Amino acid sequence: MNATLDGDVVRAAGDARQRFHDARGYGRASGPDVTLARVEAAHLLYRGDIDSVSGMDFRAFFRDSVAGESGFAARFLVYADLRERGFYLAPARAGWPGSADGRDAGADNTDDDSDGRHDDADILVFERGEKPGGPVAHRVRVVGEREELAAASLGGRTLAVVDEESEVSYFACTADGGFDGRTEYDLPDDLDADLLDDRVVCWSPPVDLYESAFYGQPISGRDDADVDALQLSLVEAADLAARGAVALDADAVIERGRAVEGERFDRRLSVYRELRDRGVVPKTGYKFGADFRTYDAVETVTDLPHSERLVRVVQPDHRFHPRELALDVRLAGGVRKRMVFALAGDDSNDYLTVERLTP
Amino acid sequence: MNATLDGDVVRAAGDARQRFHDARGYGRASGPDVTLARVEAAHLLYRGDIDSVSGMDFRAFFRDSVAGESGFAARFLVYADLRERGFYLAPARAGWPGSADGRDAGADNTDDDSDGRHDDADILVFERGEKPGGPVAHRVRVVGEREELAAASLGGRTLAVVDEESEVSYFACTADGGFDGRTEYDLPDDLDADLLDDRVVCWSPPVDLYESAFYGQPISGRDDADVDALQLSLVEAADLAARGAVALDADAVIERGRAVEGERFDRRLSVYRELRDRGVVPKTGYKFGADFRTYDAVETVTDLPHSERLVRVVQPDHRFHPRELALDVRLAGGVRKRMVFALAGDDSNDYLTVERLTP
């Protein structure tokens, strides 16, 4: 069967509507014919279901499409991979199944953006067993591994990253940190403490400050030590100073934090405070390359649960490099934690959970 | 017992030489007395072995030392941690045990640098059971988690990173990639290929190009495909073009690589080529957040071994952020690979292997 290129779509007549659209969920019906997006037509050529598009075989049509549509090669690879996994798909595109119609002026998100994306997605994946137009399982955003991605645009999308060797990795992005803070404790008043370089030492602290509230790290953990002291990080100390628990000027601690860390300190402190306010315990995530690891519910440090999440604090306009995203999410998965990005803004923080996914 | 601060050292008399130097390896002997570095004196105060230094208790002396020596707090924590692990230690310092004497003008590395480091180290750890001055097990460089580190200065050193909550992580750094390339294959001549966007498609390639030499990724892996093609990454294609295996202009491929990746492409290609020349097979490390994963010996892709290393390509003057180092090395360990940094220079590449260590 031969099909015809018509602007940015491909039209097929004869029994194409029955064979490709009705039976296998390609394209959109146009009266007796079927209209295919380029990615759909390329897939049918690739499978040998159609022989040519306006005289072009797969190789020629693929070249023509790569030249004509930005990101086509990656989109084709993801389309083929998801079809192989047994899903019905549609390009996310005004008027295609599952997307609002560009002609419906009353609907939200009716227009495709300048990259041809509709509603920040490239491909809609329908729930297993559902035909095009049914419930959507994944709104897939396709990116090459070299493209940067605005963190704020990813909530509710499934990211398909095509690496330089054309393998596809999937990530589910949820606009929620998923925290369920249930840690309770009382804080002391005005403890004696020294601000020393880039940390704080708190002298002869009550046991519960570490053991229940899980602030700091004892310097006196050694059997042979003669000293009773708790070391606090600067975020911990700034938080405790603001709550009146240590006798230090909170602003002086914050100034020291900015001196050693720049404005990143303010963002980290903002997230730290919010998590503490929500009953979550953040501790350093250094060993996992993150800002914090977090515990929803600490009863005692002696009987510490597994920390559930790693948190990386970023700016609200942060753009991910897909390679860094792969690194963070893979590491978190390897230590049975969820990876959460905190988009720390001036007035409030947003959270984005990213997980690896096998569709 | 009381000791006395004298410039940047502490002097103790009486039975101090016998008790601290001869029996327990602190300080250097000065006639009948012992001379202690600040970190050694602080440790003796912390343990209650001496009562004061020029009237200062542990708290006062610690404050005074933090004010007087850059990085003192981190150095103290590492010193105490290593002592706790049962090692004899000495500050890396001209004239202290294990370091060359600053007064010996003929020796290399006789002077301490402006940070007080001797031979790029802060603390010498002697082999287990060895007294100060015996064989050195670790030349320890101490850093806070916020300090950047010149990659080129780390070979042969053990890095002790003190995180913001005062936990210490150790990394062994070796100025060698440890590659043992044993992969052999023949390449074809002038294969038909298209440069398409940020990848190359090679049409109807010989089976061995993928199966033995492990170049590319078949686009025709699917059972239902009608197309026989191998996708190549741009580094793979540039390497194959330079070797005459694909009929593409190597410079055109390199130009495309620079267009999508900048000058980073040249560095990655230089490392890729060198590894191929040495019989090592580099494939993308994207899923591990690295530039490459590498195989020393590939017989066939059907029977592919575990890849042994992850390689991240950096500039020769690269400075590590300790948090990124922790992330890379931890991830590599979690997937049973070694982490190698390739310092890609204009004329040659150097390699640095970094591993977590428990002293």
Side-chain angles (χ1 to χ4, degrees):
Chain A
M1 173 177 294
N2 302 306
T4 308
L5 186 61
D6 179 8
D8 63 348
V9 295
V10 172
R11 301 197 191 277
D15 62 355
R17 173 173 173 165
Q18 188 278 320
R19 279 178 61 198
F20 304 141
H21 178 272
D22 300 352
R24 287 159 57 206
Y26 285 89
R28 58 194 289 199
S30 317
D33 302 335
V34 63
T35 300
L36 301 161
R38 271 185 183 269
V39 74
E40 295 174 308
H43 195 246
L44 289 167
L45 276 168
Y46 163 74
R47 290 172 46 100
D49 289 322
I50 61 180
D51 301 308
S52 71
V53 172
S54 296
M56 294 179 275
D57 65 1
F58 176 76
R59 177 175 179 175
F61 182 69
F62 195 83
R63 290 175 68 150
D64 186 74
S65 298
V66 165
E69 277 188 13
S70 166
F72 179 83
R75 216 153 44 241
F76 172 77
L77 291 166
V78 173
Y79 186 92
D81 185 66
L82 288 167
R83 274 269 174 191
E84 169 77 6
R85 291 170 189 268
F87 289 99
Y88 284 111
L89 316 174
R93 188 166 172 171
W96 248 253
S99 296
D101 193 323
R103 291 165 299 191
D104 177 359
D108 284 343
N109 296 320
T110 53
D111 295 323
D112 299 346
D113 68 21
S114 59
D115 291 325
R117 289 199 179 95
H118 192 92
D119 193 20
D120 280 329
D122 292 283
I123 295 172
L124 300 186
V125 178
F126 301 100
E127 285 184 8
R128 205 166 273 286
E130 295 284 348
K131 290 268 184 181
V136 172
H138 303 289
R139 298 178 185 278
V140 177
R141 173 83 175 270
V142 178
V143 283
E145 70 163 277
R146 299 181 183 95
E147 284 173 70
E148 291 190 344
L149 280 162
S153 72
L154 295 180
R157 301 294 172 272
T158 295
L159 207 57
V161 182
V162 181
D163 71 29
E164 63 177 331
E165 290 176 8
S166 307
E167 290 268 11
V168 186
S169 304
Y170 296 92
F171 299 94
C173 306
T174 313
D176 183 6
F179 299 101
D180 178 23
R182 284 165 285 128
T183 307
E184 293 178 4
Y185 47 84
D186 294 313
L187 291 177
D189 292 322
D190 282 339
L191 287 177
D192 186 17
D194 284 331
L195 177 54
L196 294 174
D197 205 357
D198 61 353
R199 58 203 79 218
V200 164
V201 180
C202 186
W203 304 93
S204 304
V207 167
D208 276 357
L209 181 60
Y210 174 71
E211 190 57 30
S212 300
F214 203 10
Y215 280 91
Q217 170 78 11
I219 199 174
S220 53
R222 317 292 175 188
D223 293 341
D224 59 356
D226 200 45
V227 171
D228 179 22
L230 194 64
Q231 300 168 79
L232 301 170
S233 72
L234 291 176
V235 279
E236 289 177 321
D239 178 72
L240 286 173
R243 296 180 199 273
V246 299
L248 289 173
D249 176 25
D251 289 339
V253 180
I254 292 171
E255 276 308 311
R256 182 69 56 89
R258 286 177 190 153
V260 297
E261 216 173 286
E263 60 169 346
R264 218 172 82 78
F265 183 80
D266 291 272
R267 288 195 293 277
R268 295 175 67 234
L269 179 59
S270 156
V271 170
Y272 183 93
R273 276 185 180 151
E274 180 168 296
L275 292 175
R276 280 280 181 186
D277 285 342
R278 290 166 65 172
V280 176
V281 176
K283 294 295 282 185
T284 179
Y286 166 74
K287 286 188 183 178
F288 308 105
D291 287 291
F292 304 115
R293 65 186 197 276
T294 65
Y295 301 85
D296 280 338
V298 173
E299 290 278 339
T300 69
V301 171
T302 309
D303 187 25
L304 197 64
H306 180 74
S307 63
E308 299 90 5
R309 290 172 189 79
L310 297 180
V311 177
R312 184 183 286 280
V313 179
V314 298
Q315 293 180 272
D317 61 354
H318 181 72
R319 296 177 71 82
F320 288 114
H321 192 290
R323 194 172 297 230
E324 287 153 19
L325 195 64
L327 184 56
D328 280 335
V329 175
R330 173 134 202 160
L331 178 66
V335 292
R336 296 180 296 118
K337 302 181 197 302
R338 302 224 164 167
M339 188 69 217
V340 177
F341 296 91
L343 282 61
D346 289 338
D347 301 318
S348 66
N349 304 316
D350 292 320
Y351 297 90
L352 182 73
T353 299
V354 184
E355 293 167 276
R356 288 177 79 198
L357 179 80
T358 307
Chain B
M1 173 177 297
N2 302 306
T4 309
L5 187 61
D6 177 8
D8 62 349
V9 296
V10 172
R11 303 200 190 275
D15 63 353
R17 175 172 171 166
Q18 189 279 322
R19 280 179 60 198
F20 305 141
H21 177 272
D22 301 352
R24 286 158 58 204
Y26 286 89
R28 57 194 292 198
S30 318
D33 301 336
V34 63
T35 301
L36 301 162
R38 272 187 181 267
V39 73
E40 295 174 309
H43 195 245
L44 289 167
L45 276 169
Y46 162 74
R47 289 171 48 98
D49 288 322
I50 59 180
D51 302 308
S52 70
V53 172
S54 294
M56 293 179 275
D57 64 2
F58 176 77
R59 178 175 179 176
F61 183 68
F62 195 83
R63 290 175 69 152
D64 186 71
S65 299
V66 165
E69 278 187 16
S70 166
F72 179 84
R75 218 153 43 242
F76 173 77
L77 291 165
V78 173
Y79 186 92
D81 186 65
L82 288 167
R83 273 270 174 190
E84 170 78 5
R85 291 170 189 271
F87 290 99
Y88 284 111
L89 316 174
R93 187 163 173 174
W96 248 253
S99 296
D101 193 321
R103 291 163 298 187
D104 176 359
D108 284 344
N109 294 320
T110 54
D111 294 324
D112 299 345
D113 68 18
S114 60
D115 291 325
R117 287 197 181 96
H118 192 91
D119 193 20
D120 281 330
D122 293 283
I123 296 172
L124 301 185
V125 179
F126 301 100
E127 286 184 7
R128 204 166 275 286
E130 296 284 347
K131 290 268 182 179
V136 172
H138 303 288
R139 295 177 187 279
V140 177
R141 171 83 174 270
V142 178
V143 284
E145 70 162 279
R146 301 182 181 94
E147 282 174 72
E148 292 190 345
L149 279 164
S153 73
L154 295 180
R157 300 294 172 273
T158 294
L159 208 58
V161 182
V162 181
D163 71 28
E164 63 178 331
E165 289 175 9
S166 306
E167 288 269 11
V168 185
S169 304
Y170 296 92
F171 300 95
C173 304
T174 313
D176 183 5
F179 300 103
D180 179 23
R182 285 164 284 130
T183 307
E184 293 178 3
Y185 47 82
D186 295 315
L187 290 178
D189 292 322
D190 282 340
L191 286 177
D192 187 17
D194 285 331
L195 176 53
L196 295 173
D197 203 358
D198 62 352
R199 59 202 80 219
V200 163
V201 180
C202 187
W203 305 94
S204 304
V207 167
D208 276 358
L209 182 59
Y210 174 70
E211 189 59 29
S212 300
F214 203 11
Y215 281 92
Q217 169 78 10
I219 198 174
S220 54
R222 315 292 174 191
D223 295 341
D224 60 355
D226 199 46
V227 171
D228 179 21
L230 194 64
Q231 301 168 78
L232 302 170
S233 72
L234 292 175
V235 278
E236 289 177 321
D239 177 73
L240 287 172
R243 295 179 198 274
V246 299
L248 288 174
D249 176 22
D251 289 338
V253 180
I254 291 171
E255 277 308 311
R256 183 67 56 90
R258 287 177 189 152
V260 297
E261 218 172 285
E263 60 170 347
R264 216 171 84 80
F265 184 79
D266 291 273
R267 287 196 293 278
R268 294 176 68 233
L269 178 59
S270 156
V271 171
Y272 183 92
R273 276 186 179 149
E274 179 168 296
L275 292 176
R276 281 279 181 187
D277 285 342
R278 292 168 65 173
V280 176
V281 176
K283 295 293 283 185
T284 179
Y286 166 72
K287 287 188 183 178
F288 309 105
D291 287 291
F292 305 115
R293 66 187 196 275
T294 65
Y295 301 85
D296 280 338
V298 174
E299 289 279 338
T300 68
V301 171
T302 309
D303 187 25
L304 196 64
H306 180 74
S307 62
E308 299 91 3
R309 289 172 190 79
L310 297 180
V311 179
R312 182 182 289 278
V313 179
V314 299
Q315 293 178 273
D317 61 353
H318 180 72
R319 296 177 70 81
F320 289 113
H321 193 290
R323 193 173 295 228
E324 288 153 18
L325 196 66
L327 184 55
D328 280 334
V329 175
R330 174 136 202 160
L331 178 66
V335 294
R336 295 180 298 118
K337 303 182 199 301
R338 299 223 168 170
M339 188 70 218
V340 178
F341 296 91
L343 282 60
D346 289 338
D347 302 317
S348 67
N349 305 316
D350 292 319
Y351 297 90
L352 181 74
T353 300
V354 183
E355 295 168 273
R356 287 175 80 197
L357 179 80
T358 307

